[in-house]
Structure formats: structure tokens, C-alpha cells
């Protein structure tokens, strides 16, 4: 398992399909996962620190975990089957619950929980994007965004279909 950071949510054009983009910590691979619009909003809200006037589903689940005296210790993306990613929520008492990666990521962002991805999935579906040699962080970030845009222009959901 490799830890991944949530880079953000983007919309793939021309289909307008949302994608959550994960980046391997200490590596150069990115993992795009196509997700639903509601989950994309939930992830984006959490990344931006936005708190809705009433709790959203992921907020409610995070609060339920807390009130029950537990913590979410890890989110693991564990399987890729016919282009469908599968995740597992791992709790402090070692209980594991199967979940969609999009819901798992939205919950992880709300609870400060690390996200991990199976090495096999990164090997199969990860997209290597070499880091820039530039020392200026702002320039590196702009270059990373540009490389991601170029990637989105070229990739389709069918690129991850194993059939």
C-alpha cells in the first residue's frame, strides 16, 4: 500500500464527468478516479473547508463515528475490477467496511484520515507524471496543473477498461 494525497476534483471534458485525482506520496504517479457529481461536490467542499448550514451525508457519518467513540484510521483503495475502483474504511478497532472510493475520500478529508492505494492499482491505473526540476513552488504547481489538464485532454474512461 502506498499513501496518496488528494490533489483535487476536476471535470473531464467534453463529457463533463467529475474526476478525483490522487497523487502518490513520494512518487510521480497520479490516479484519476471518475466519480459522481454529488461526491465531487462533497470532496471539493471538504478540501475548501466549506461547512454547509446543515450537515451533508459525509458530515453526518463523520459525526456518527465520533459520537460512537471511534475513529477512522485509514481509507484504502484496494481493488480495480472492470474499471470500477473499490475501497475499504478501516476503523480504530480494525473493523473494515467496503465503500466507494469517492465516499471514502470525502470522509477521509473530513476526519483527517490518510488515504492509501494498493501498489497493484497504482501499477495498473496510475499515470506517471515526472516532477519538475524547478525550485519555485508556485511554478511547479502551475506546471502540475498544466500537465493534469493535458492528461485530461487525452484520457477517457475506456483507458481504464480491462476488457
Amino acid at each position: 500500500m502506498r499513501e496518496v494525497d488528494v490533489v483535487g476534483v476536476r471535470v473531464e471534458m467534453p463529457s463533463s464527468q467529475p474526476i478525483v485525482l490522487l497523487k502518490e506520496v513520494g512518487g510521480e504517479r497520479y490516479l484519476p478516479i471518475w466519480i459522481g457529481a454529488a461526491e465531487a461536490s462533497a470532496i471539493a467542499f471538504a478540501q475548501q473547508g466549506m461547512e454547509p448550514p446543515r450537515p451533508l451525508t459525509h458530515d453526518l457519518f463523520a459525526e456518527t463515528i465520533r459520537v460512537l467513540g471511534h475513529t477512522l484510521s485509514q481509507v484504502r483503495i484496494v481493488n480495480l475490477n472492470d474499471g470500477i475502483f473499490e475501497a475499504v474504511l478501516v476503523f480504530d478497532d480494525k473493523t473494515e467496511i467496503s465503500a466507494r472510493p469517492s465516499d471514502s475520500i470525502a470522509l477521509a478529508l473530513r476526519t483527517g484520515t490518510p488515504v492509501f492505494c494498493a501498489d497493484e492499482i497504482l501499477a495498473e491505473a496510475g499515470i506517471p507524471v515526472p516532477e519538475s526540476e524547478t525550485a519555485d513552488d508556485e511554478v511547479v504547481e502551475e506546471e502540475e496543473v498544466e500537465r493534469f489538464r493535458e492528461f485530461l485532454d487525452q484520457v477517457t474512461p475506456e483507458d481504464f477498461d480491462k476488457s
Side-chain angles (χ1 to χ4, degrees):
M1 291 292 228
R2 298 288 309 239
E3 188 171 2
V4 293
D5 286 331
V6 181
V7 175
V9 176
R10 306 291 187 271
V11 176
E12 186 263 334
M13 298 306 280
S15 70
S16 296
Q17 178 71 34
I19 297 172
V20 62
L21 184 67
L22 307 175
K23 183 184 185 302
E24 174 183 31
V25 171
E28 61 180 28
R29 292 178 291 190
Y30 287 78
L31 184 66
I33 301 176
W34 276 259
I35 61 176
E39 293 79 11
S41 293
I43 291 169
F45 282 1
Q47 278 196 306
Q48 296 168 6
M50 294 176 61
E51 292 192 29
R54 303 278 301 150
L56 299 175
T57 304
H58 300 97
D59 302 310
L60 176 63
F61 192 36
E63 180 65 6
T64 301
I65 294 167
R66 187 192 68 74
V67 168
L68 291 175
H70 289 280
T71 58
L72 182 61
S73 60
Q74 288 185 358
V75 164
R76 297 179 185 160
I77 299 170
V78 295
N79 199 13
L80 175 58
N81 192 8
D82 292 326
I84 306 296
F85 291 89
E86 299 171 12
V88 172
L89 302 173
V90 182
F91 293 90
D92 55 346
D93 64 356
K94 307 298 182 220
T95 299
E96 295 186 7
I97 298 176
S98 178
R100 296 183 305 183
S102 55
D103 290 326
S104 302
I105 291 166
L107 189 57
L109 290 171
R110 283 166 173 75
T111 58
T113 303
V115 179
F116 294 87
C117 184
D119 292 323
E120 311 82 58
I121 294 172
L122 282 170
E124 179 180 341
I127 309 296
V129 180
E131 291 293 322
S132 172
E133 300 295 323
T134 310
D136 184 341
D137 287 342
E138 190 172 312
V139 172
V140 171
E141 185 175 319
E142 288 176 23
E143 289 174 359
E144 184 174 314
V145 169
E146 184 56 35
R147 285 194 303 271
F148 180 55
R149 284 187 181 127
E150 290 171 8
F151 163 74
L152 287 179
D153 288 341
Q154 299 168 14
V155 72
T156 65
E158 291 77 27
D159 291 337
F160 300 96
D161 186 12
K162 293 184 74 168
S163 54

